[in-house]
Amino acid sequence: MRGLKKLFNYFFYCGIEKEEYNAVKKDVYISNFVIWRSLHIFMAVIFGLLFLASILVDLISVNRALYFGAFFYSLMAVSFFFFLDKDSIIAQLLIYLSISLLFIFGCFLTKNNPAAPSTTFIAFLLIAPMFMIDKPFWMAIELTAASALCLIWMHGVKPHNIWQIDLTNVTIFTIVGIFLNIIANSIRIREFVLTREINIQKDTDEMTGLKNKGALTREINSFLADPSSSKSLMFMLDIDRFKSINDTYGHDVGDSVIVQLGNYIRSGIEAGEILGRFGGDEFILLKKNTDDIEVAKRIAEEIVKGASENISIPGSEEKISISIGIAIYRGEEKNYSELFKKADIALYKAKADSNKRFYVYE
């Protein structure tokens, strides 16, 4: 049973768990996109040269229409690759279409030379799977269907003895191609998983598990640089009299308060919001796609009230209080530091208002 589960994982998730595969699937699609865009450019060049050669050389003139068709398709595919999103499912389908057409191209070549074994088709069986990262299950179906089509098509075209050689070779190399795809996928997928784990560690604050300063800066700068991002709210939070907490109760208690606050804020954020620990007792929360001042005030009130009710100093019944500075982004600031400066000024003014404990920069 354990062996079957392992085999299942290799065929459907490249030898890793489903959750791990889904976490890197977008990176996999982007990798396929980049590789196959380059391959289509290469294919266009090769088939274009073969078409020109078929005009000049009688020996390969019989394949002239095939070369032109492959050249034309490669050019069309390249143009699509420059317009499609890198993680688009349409791009993935286009890649599978290209693989299918390569196999059909191999069938046509072997049909034009029925006295010889299907060496070109077999070469495609071995090469194509090495350049495709996806669930090996799909490639197994692709290779099996292509091989069955080739053998059925060539059955009435080739001499029986040549067809029998093809039957043996195609069957063997279909199986080999499937296993090559499994091996190549498992190696490359594990590289994606390892890279993702390294990036997460690099971008994660060790104490709270939230984004660290570097990750915050990069993600907010990326958001501000996006032409479609025209509004957001930045909240800058810190704990009132935090130095006093450290001096009175010790740094371990202070760290515990920071962790509690991080967990509390994280429990209330929505998908797509950016949250992280800027450093010390300061946190940054960026709420996207709104510049409504009333929404900003309501969120700040909820955080201030919730923190005072839910976060306490360990070994004491004393509750903490926090202050929040709010900066509103309406497409004016060009980078993180410009928006951060406004939130920092607002935080300074919030600390002077012991009643509201938040302030909106205007």
Side-chain angles (χ1 to χ4, degrees), residues 56-189:
L56 302 173
V57 181
D58 289 339
L59 185 64
I60 58 173
S61 61
V62 67
N63 295 322
R64 186 180 303 159
L66 284 178
Y67 296 146
F68 178 77
F71 169 69
F72 181 76
Y73 171 80
S74 299
L75 284 181
M76 292 293 294
V78 168
S79 66
F80 277 115
F81 274 111
F82 279 99
F83 289 104
L84 293 171
D85 292 333
K86 288 186 177 181
D87 59 342
S88 165
I89 189 66
I90 297 175
Q92 291 296 108
L93 293 174
L94 179 61
I95 292 169
Y96 274 108
L97 175 61
S98 295
I99 295 173
S100 299
L101 291 177
L102 279 176
F103 287 133
I104 293 173
F105 177 79
C107 288
F108 272 113
L109 287 182
T110 195
K111 176 178 176 290
N112 289 340
N113 189 14
S118 305
T119 52
T120 304
F121 179 83
I122 289 171
F124 286 147
L125 284 177
L126 296 176
I127 294 171
M130 301 294 287
F131 291 98
M132 187 66 185
I133 314 177
D134 201 356
K135 296 177 180 178
F137 169 76
W138 297 116
M139 185 53 66
I141 293 176
E142 173 88 23
L143 295 180
T144 303
S147 298
L149 173 66
C150 179
L151 291 171
I152 293 170
W153 190 355
M154 296 304 122
H155 184 263
V157 174
K158 292 193 171 191
H160 188 66
N161 62 321
I162 300 296
W163 185 85
Q164 285 185 319
I165 293 172
D166 277 350
L167 174 63
T168 303
N169 288 339
V170 168
T171 301
I172 291 172
F173 286 105
T174 298
I175 297 170
V176 172
I178 290 171
F179 278 97
L180 283 176
N181 182 247
I182 292 172
I183 294 168
N185 273 346
S186 63
I187 293 171
R188 293 169 70 187
I189 285 287

Side-chain angles (χ1 to χ4, degrees), residues 305-343:
K305 184 174 182 292
S308 65
E309 291 175 350
N310 294 285
I311 301 172
S312 60
I313 298 173
S316 167
E317 294 183 0
E318 183 181 350
K319 300 289 185 178
I320 70 157
S321 66
I322 65 170
S323 297
I324 302 177
I326 306 167
I328 300 175
Y329 171 68
R330 294 192 173 102
E332 298 173 357
E333 293 79 12
K334 302 304 179 184
N335 55 55
Y336 170 87
S337 60
E338 292 179 15
L339 194 60
F340 173 83
K341 190 180 296 182
K342 293 181 178 180

Side-chain angles (χ1 to χ4, degrees), residues 290-317:
T290 180
D291 59 0
D292 191 320
I293 293 179
E294 295 306 315
V295 170
K297 291 178 179 179
R298 176 178 56 78
I299 292 172
E301 286 175 351
E302 290 175 356
I303 295 175
V304 168
K305 184 174 182 292
S308 65
E309 291 175 350
N310 294 285
I311 301 172
S312 60
I313 298 173
S316 167
E317 294 183 0

